[in-house]
Amino acid sequence: MNVHAADPNPAPIATTCPYCGVGCGVLAQPDRMGGATIVGDPDHPSNFGRLCSKGSALGETLSLEGRLLHPEIDGERVSWEAALDAVAKGFRQTLETHGPKAIAIYLSGQLLTEDYYAANKLFKGFLGSANVDTNSRLCMSSSVAGHVRAFGSDTVPGTYRDLESADLLVFAGSNAAWCHPVLYQRMLAAKTERGAKIVVIDPRVSATAEEADLHLKIAGGTDVALFSGLLVHLADAGRIDAAYVQAHTMGFDDALARAREVAPSVAATARVCGVAEADIVAFFSLFAETERTVTLYSQGVNQSADGVDKVNAIINCHLATGRIGKAGMGPFSLTGQPNAMGGREVGGLANQLAAHMGFDANSIDKVGRFWNAPRMAEAPGLKAVDMFEAVARGEIRALWVMGTNPAASLPRAGAVAEALGRLDHFVVSENVASNDTLAAGAKIRLPAAAWGEKDGTVTNSERRISRQRPFLALPGEARPDWWAIAQVAKRLGHGEAFGWRTVGEVFREHAALSAFENDGARDFDIGALAALDTRDYDRLQPVQWPARKGRARTETRFFAKGGFFTADGRGRFVAVAAPQAPARPSSDFPLRLNTGRIRDQWHTMTRTGKSPRLSSHLPEPFLEISAVDAEKAGVVDGGFATVATAHGEATLRARVTPDAREGALFAAIHWTQETSSSGLIGALVHARVDPISGQPDAKSTPATVRPAKFKRQGFALSRGALDKPEGAWWATAAIPNGSGLLFATDGEILFDDVIPDLDPSDEVVEFADLRRGRQRAAVFRDGVLQACLFVGPERQESAWTYLRGRLGEPLNESETRGLLLAGRASAGASLGPLVCACHGVAKGVIEGAITAGACEPAAIGAATKAGTNCGSCLPEIRRMLAATRVAEAISA
Ligand SMILES: Nc1nc2c(c(=O)[nH]1)N[C@H]1C(S)=C(S)[C@@H](COP(=O)(O)OP(=O)(O)OC[C@H]3O[C@@H](n4cnc5c(=O)[nH]c(N)nc54)[C@H](O)[C@@H]3O)O[C@H]1N2
Ligand SMILES: Nc1nc2c(c(=O)[nH]1)N[C@H]1C(S)=C(S)[C@@H](COP(=O)(O)OP(=O)(O)OC[C@H]3O[C@@H](n4cnc5c(=O)[nH]c(N)nc54)[C@H](O)[C@@H]3O)O[C@H]1N2
Ligand code: SF4
Ligand SMILES: [Mo]
């Protein structure tokens, strides 16, 4: 695909958002200066033009700052030739000396299907190693295993339309309001229009829970008991679809018998789950009585020591009621990453071979013949956690990491980083020049094409394949990942099998494999796309699979009339085990650390961390804690807390909140050693995994908490770079026109410690009130704010909020004085944190609208624009409205 550089008025390029599995279509209009204007694609069936805050801010993340632009060996820039030779040599030597078990590749759901396909083919077909795993192990593998157990295949039965036509939406362990915002807004619209009900099952009051008709604030890890109780209730209430169960399934009686052991009564279920019986009854009756029910699940289900059982406990209830594959009904696994689904299609997991085939002799033979492969892997390889443990033991000696940051995102991240340092041969393909994994000792660094440059396909949560198209030229020497793989394959003697000239050729081969000797026994079949020519591929419109050759493309759902991908065509009920008792709280670690996401950041922030808008909502790493636990530990709201587990510690800003369940802590996963002094949460997480899927339980590490106190807190802003103050607590935050740093310390923070390059001609205005421990300084160049430093005994919140947007702006003298003396420019200037990231509306502006009489979100939207784009701030706006109502009621 050409980038239309010469066209004076090029049409916008239609591509797909690089973040979540909703897979929204975006239109990118390059500005020919390396940037682009981004809007939602009104014709894309995922989003019909909408984007969430992260999608809307994509244009702010395109700069080349911090990008890896040239291949490097041992920190020295080298040519691609030299780098590729070295990559190939390292793998060849390791293979020769230690065999295929000593090599591995660790991939990512953020790679394109074509990249993924090439990597999987090289390792599993040509190097004889199934040590190919992916961050999807941490993300979707429990869903995959649960699907395979129930359906005989990794199939998501339903579609997005079902979510809109359901009358009951059950969110189990999913904070879709923040993590799948556009899809969530589609569901909310249906709720408003058709009166659909929402039930949320989550140990904390997430943004999604706030909107729910019923929130079951269950104890973490008790979902199996809950859904077992539901199955019992459905049976006892005569709500089983006996005809469906009889005709299309196996194993109902055993599953029910087991469910009765796990959850014999409503009272027992309520006790295990730690919620009121009345709420359990309400949920069970809603489910029993609502035919059109969808159960959506994500990481609160998948990332558990019994994640696969959780998935099957949910699916059991849908099979039992025959509510699957029909309009408005079904279990629905929400995929996390933009191409989580595509990775599963190519066989990116160590226990899959390719194209939804496993390691049975028949499949090995089939794939081997299709690839004409000399050295097929014969058995599953190591799953992520085991893979990195094998690295630590020196059993894996050569590793290639592509498109993921395991030194931050794997459990026991500190141990992972250490293990990486022991590799003989450590290759990383990256977009960025610096992250925790590169810092762990990557010897060879390969610059990969990033979003906006890369070209290929991704598959979203509803099995819909969309194109990611380039709209920017490849910067520096960045190259697509599939190309780097093919080049290495060539150097290892497999030039013919990896001789693709274009990405479209890779896609065609992948599509052909999906249809190869597939007589309908495999769900994944996109044979209809195997003959696309380059033009067709470039123009490919979003298409849902299956897309079998010669078949009209109408099959958008699975299993309404059976037809499971098991040997006998029947779906399977699974007799689930009783929930594993969570590692018992010990006196050392009496609490549980739950981890997850916030609305405006993506994973380790390598992209969203560049956007000032996205950094304004929650700028610091934080810990949510209940009032009871906070009081016991002596932690105060707005102060600092150190959370510790058997594996590590982090010091975070404390948020004492009724949203947290007693005994449960919550921290976001986004901060790393790149962006904070002690906010890397992965280092605290235990490596307990589901025994079937190998997916880590990232939601309940035994933990303890203690207060952390600092004498001084503050921030620095600069139009240039900022140094990190040694020995201090700090976190970086993107701000407009410069860099921002929040810090806390017991020592002194001097201007020169953090703001390195002052110009002698700069005017420095200082203010110090040493008795009160206050110290402020601002630097002006021709009246324009260049840098500033604010330090005081307490949090400098309002000054931060006001000043983070003022760098590069002229400030008049009274403003300057006001800001240095009072920490803010003038009354009203500090409007509090940003609530609506899309339109940049601060809390104070919304409060103003409420005071002026706006009493519902629509009125606030009309007055301020807040909440009128992606809508993911609406829960917060509703909460503000409710707070005002309560305040009014009290004062009235
Ligand atoms: N803004 C944003 N969106 C994202 C991402 C991002 O980084 N940022 N990442 C994407 C990716 S890769 C993924 S995988 C998805 C994840 O999307 P989600 O799974 O929705 O997100 P999480 O915050 O990881 O976890 C969801 C909820 O599970 C709850 N939970 C914890 N333990 C339990 C339990 O035992 N039972 C139940 N029922 N609930 C529990 C948590 O309290 C949390 O609110 O988000 C995707 N979308
Ligand atoms: N405690 C805890 N840990 C978790 C989770 C949790 O909820 N709690 N969630 C888990 C889940 S669900 C996920 S998905 C993972 C995510 O964890 P990671 O995958 O480690 O996180 P990212 O920050 O997305 O890392 C992606 C990296 O790939 C680079 N990159 C992006 N696109 C490309 C590309 O096309 N090519 C190449 N070569 N590089 C690219 C980016 O610059 C970035 O450095 O975290 C997991 N870890
Ligand atoms: S919901 Fe947001 S993050 Fe997800 S694909 Fe759409 S725009 Fe991107
Ligand atoms: Mo994920």
Side-chain angles (χ1 to χ4, degrees):
M1 174 116 212
N2 291 325
V3 174
H4 304 255
D7 191 335
N9 245 329
I13 311 272
T15 181
T16 311
C17 176
Y19 299 125
C20 83
V22 174
C24 295
V26 310
L27 296 176
Q29 182 76 67
D31 61 10
R32 277 181 271 161
M33 292 182 302
T37 310
I38 305 288
V39 295
D41 181 350
D43 297 326
H44 197 286
S46 294
N47 57 318
F48 303 103
R50 283 196 137 173
L51 293 177
C52 76
S53 54
K54 294 182 298 301
S56 307
L58 272 166
E60 289 178 34
T61 67
L62 296 171
S63 82
L64 294 181
E65 203 187 314
R67 278 288 297 274
L68 180 66
L69 293 172
H70 303 282
E72 288 175 11
I73 301 180
D74 290 328
E76 300 291 325
R77 179 171 166 182
V78 297
S79 68
W80 265 104
E81 281 299 309
L84 293 164
D85 287 349
V87 175
K89 185 173 161 207
F91 281 108
R92 188 188 307 109
Q93 281 180 346
T94 310
L95 270 170
E96 280 165 6
T97 327
H98 303 283
K101 288 201 162 135
I103 65 167
I105 188 162
Y106 186 58
L107 305 167
S108 162
Q110 290 162 76
L111 297 171
L112 302 176
T113 299
E114 293 79 358
D115 302 322
Y116 238 137
Y117 177 84
N120 190 57
K121 178 180 175 182
L122 175 61
F123 274 70
K124 288 186 185 151
F126 293 76
L127 305 182
S129 174
N131 287 339
V132 177
D133 213 43
T134 145
N135 62 3
S136 281
R137 179 69 57 198
L138 320 178
C139 181
M140 306 313 309
S141 60
S142 293
S143 280
V144 173
H147 291 160
V148 172
R149 285 209 297 187
F151 309 146
S153 58
D154 175 21
T155 317
V156 172
T159 69
Y160 289 170
R161 294 244 183 248
D162 295 326
L163 311 180
E164 289 169 320
S165 55
D167 294 321
L168 173 63
L169 296 155
V170 180
F171 290 87
S174 155
N175 184 13
W178 279 9
C179 295
H180 299 89
V182 167
L183 192 54
Y184 179 74
Q185 290 302 322
R186 282 177 65 176
M187 295 185 256
L188 270 197
K191 175 180 160 72
T192 318
E193 269 165 39
R194 307 186 19 265
K197 291 270 187 296
I198 290 184
V199 175
V200 171
I201 301 160
D202 194 309
R204 66 192 184 104
V205 187
S206 64
T208 313
E210 274 175 34
E211 306 265 355
D213 298 286
L214 176 64
H215 174 210
L216 299 182
K217 200 175 178 182
I218 61 167
T222 61
D223 306 69
V224 169
L226 182 66
F227 283 92
S228 295
L230 175 59
L231 188 65
V232 171
H233 174 80
L234 293 168
D236 293 348
R239 293 295 178 161
I240 304 296
D241 182 342
Y244 186 90
V245 171
Q246 177 79 29
H248 303 305
T249 69
M250 298 265 287
F252 175 72
D253 292 341
D254 287 349
L256 180 60
R258 182 65 61 77
R260 287 195 193 281
E261 285 168 31
V262 173
S265 63
V266 167
T269 310
R271 205 172 330 111
V272 174
C273 296
V275 292
E277 254 185 79
D279 286 346
I280 301 272
V281 171
F283 169 50
F284 287 0
S285 335
L286 259 179
F287 195 104
E289 274 139 43
T290 316
E291 188 63 9
R292 285 176 176 246
T293 294
V294 174
T295 308
L296 301 109
Y297 48 95
S298 190
Q299 300 317 336
V301 164
N302 292 336
Q303 287 172 345
S304 323
D306 59 350
V308 185
D309 270 359
K310 285 186 180 181
V311 169
N312 286 111
I314 291 170
I315 294 176
N316 282 348
C317 295
H318 281 272
L319 289 176
T321 46
R323 294 181 194 155
I324 187 165
K326 299 175 191 151
M329 305 176 206
F332 200 103
S333 150
L334 285 166
T335 54
Q337 297 173 92
N339 202 26
M341 191 73 101
R344 287 144 69 174
E345 291 159 13
V346 304
L349 292 163
N351 52 318
Q352 302 174 327
L353 183 50
H356 283 201
M357 283 178 272
F359 282 93
D360 54 290
N362 188 3
S363 298
I364 295 173
D365 170 64
K366 209 177 275 187
V367 177
R369 279 186 289 115
F370 180 87
W371 281 341
N372 196 11
R375 197 174 183 184
M376 285 296 288
E378 306 268 316
L382 295 178
K383 300 176 177 131
V385 170
D386 297 337
M387 181 185 274
F388 286 85
E389 280 172 3
V391 170
R393 289 193 302 270
E395 288 161 23
I396 289 177
R397 311 186 72 106
L399 173 72
W400 193 343
V401 172
M402 188 175 272
T404 174
N405 193 357
S409 59
L410 271 173
R412 300 208 292 124
V416 168
E418 225 177 275
L420 289 172
R422 284 185 219 141
L423 286 159
D424 297 339
H425 186 50
F426 181 16
V427 184
V428 175
S429 292
E430 249 306 332
N431 293 154
V432 297
S434 162
N435 71 12
D436 291 27
T437 299
L438 289 162
K443 206 173 148 61
I444 306 180
R445 304 167 173 216
L446 304 177
W451 184 78
E453 301 146 17
K454 59 186 183 178
D455 193 1
T457 53
V458 291
T459 310
N460 73 2
S461 292
E462 60 160 357
R463 290 174 273 109
R464 193 181 294 281
I465 299 170
S466 294
R467 290 281 275 110
Q468 267 198 19
R469 297 187 176 87
F471 55 88
L472 299 170
L474 285 170
E477 291 181 278
R479 294 286 175 275
D481 291 306
W482 69 265
W483 177 87
I485 295 270
Q487 288 296 315
V488 169
K490 189 170 126 194
R491 283 163 174 77
L492 292 169
H494 309 300
E496 206 179 321
F498 292 81
W500 310 297
R501 281 155 308 158
T502 64
V503 67
E505 289 178 18
V506 186
F507 181 81
R508 283 199 285 280
E509 184 179 314
H510 160 64
L513 175 57
S514 76
F516 183 63
E517 297 178 8
N518 184 351
D519 45 8
R522 305 199 306 267
D523 61 336
F524 176 63
D525 185 338
I526 54 167
L529 309 178
L532 297 182
D533 62 21
T534 304
R535 239 169 80 112
D536 293 340
Y537 177 73
D538 280 347
R539 293 182 177 179
L540 183 67
Q541 293 304 305
V543 50
Q544 207 168 24
W545 63 258
R548 300 186 204 277
K549 194 173 169 198
R551 274 278 194 99
R553 259 176 246 151
T554 51
E555 295 167 275
T556 50
R557 296 193 189 94
F558 288 89
F559 313 138
K561 297 188 184 122
F564 292 91
F565 295 92
T566 49
D568 56 14
R570 285 167 174 271
R572 295 288 190 276
F573 283 91
V574 177
V576 294
Q580 292 187 18
R584 197 133 36 92
S586 67
S587 50
D588 287 348
F589 302 111
L591 307 169
R592 320 232 134 244
L593 176 64
N594 175 10
T595 61
R597 292 153 172 82
I598 62 173
R599 190 187 79 191
D600 288 350
Q601 294 296 347
W602 176 262
H603 296 172
T604 67
M605 289 199 219
T606 51
R607 188 181 285 274
T608 46
K610 283 182 169 182
S611 160
R613 256 199 295 171
L614 296 180
S615 297
S616 61
H617 186 233
L618 294 167
E620 293 170 310
F622 63 88
L623 182 77
E624 282 179 9
I625 181 170
S626 73
V628 173
D629 295 320
E631 198 183 315
K632 263 191 222 157
V635 166
V636 294
D637 187 39
F640 288 90
T642 297
V643 52
T645 71
H647 311 288
E649 287 194 357
T651 297
L652 309 165
R653 182 74 73 178
R655 303 177 69 199
V656 180
T657 161
D659 297 350
R661 212 187 130 91
E662 203 182 315
L665 307 167
F666 177 83
I669 59 173
H670 306 292
W671 282 270
T672 62
Q673 298 191 320
E674 286 286 309
T675 47
S676 67
S677 59
S678 68
L680 174 63
I681 282 301
L684 279 67
V685 177
H686 61 191
R688 195 161 183 241
V689 301
D690 180 285
I692 300 163
S693 67
Q695 178 156 355
D697 161 19
K699 302 290 193 234
S700 68
T701 305
T704 181
V705 68
R706 61 175 191 268
K709 293 205 169 72
F710 296 99
K711 289 202 183 106
R712 292 173 198 86
Q713 301 186 44
F715 65 87
L717 302 170
S718 169
R719 299 195 71 184
L722 286 169
D723 287 342
K724 283 142 198 173
E726 243 167 78
W729 179 98
W730 57 262
T732 59
I735 55 151
N737 306 318
S739 13
L741 186 78
L742 294 138
F743 56 77
T745 181
D746 284 334
E748 298 289 336
I749 295 267
L750 300 175
F751 210 84
D752 301 348
D753 295 338
V754 284
I755 303 174
D757 24 58
L758 277 191
D759 197 289
S761 66
D762 288 341
E763 182 199 354
V764 181
V765 188
E766 281 182 282
F767 161 86
D769 177 349
L770 295 178
R771 200 171 46 86
R772 290 217 182 93
R774 295 214 167 95
Q775 184 192 342
R776 294 177 189 138
V779 182
F780 295 87
R781 197 172 296 167
D782 305 324
V784 168
L785 185 64
Q786 293 297 114
C788 61
L789 177 77
F790 271 63
V791 189
E794 66 290 289
R795 202 171 176 178
Q796 307 289 306
E797 210 179 1
S798 65
W800 163 261
T801 312
Y802 173 69
L803 282 166
R804 70 181 286 284
R806 302 300 297 265
L807 281 187
E809 281 188 18
L811 292 177
N812 67 33
E813 217 199 301
S814 75
E815 263 182 308
T816 308
R817 212 176 312 115
L819 112 112
L820 290 176
L821 291 173
R824 59 168 81 179
S826 56
S830 171
L831 296 168
L834 221 52
V835 172
C836 171
C838 296
H839 291 300
V841 188
K843 193 169 180 195
V845 175
I846 296 170
E847 281 165 352
I850 296 176
T851 315
C855 52
E856 53 175 47
I860 290 175
T864 68
K865 286 180 95 176
T868 57
N869 183 42
C870 80
S872 48
C873 60
L874 286 172
E876 198 163 334
I877 292 176
R878 283 194 201 104
R879 199 205 287 233
M880 288 169 68
L881 280 164
T884 318
R885 275 195 292 272
V886 171
E888 280 168 3
I890 291 169
S891 60

